Amino acid sequence: MRTSLDETSSRVIEGTTDGVDLLLPATYDIVWSIVAVGSIVLALVLAIVALERWRHRREDAGSAVVGALVILCVPVVGPLAYLYATRRPRTTAGTTPAP
């Protein structure tokens, strides 16, 4: 004679759980897919912007190579660090930046 525990475990193995969904809801998959794609897009956009600024910047060869390696090898933090380190000084209206 089978017990109820044996019946339940055999139905779970066979995939017939009478209305119980053993898979994660679709919302979970959609949210994490959006997060993953968003992260990849953010990393690409930051890298493209940083490389574009790097290309127009006048630097010596050593620092140029280091800048490019940081941008390309460290996905999100590298471009952010490069953009922060090479940012232009802020000027207020009617004043000139200090030399």
Side-chain angles (χ1 to χ4, degrees), residues 18-44:
D18 298 330
V20 177
D21 188 11
L22 298 178
L23 299 175
L24 292 172
T27 323
Y28 181 84
D29 292 334
I30 292 170
V31 168
W32 282 109
S33 296
I34 290 171
V35 168
V37 170
S39 299
I40 292 169
V41 168
L42 175 69
L44 287 174

Side-chain angles (χ1 to χ4, degrees), residues 52-96:
E52 191 62 29
R53 294 232 353 236
W54 171 80
R55 189 172 68 109
H56 293 292
R57 195 164 168 84
R58 303 271 189 246
E59 296 179 10
D60 61 341
S63 63
V65 170
V66 169
L69 287 175
V70 166
I71 291 169
L72 294 174
C73 293
V74 186
V76 174
V77 178
L80 283 176
Y82 181 81
L83 291 172
Y84 181 76
T86 61
R87 70 185 187 280
R88 296 181 186 127
R90 284 190 176 181
T91 61
T92 56
T95 62
T96 57

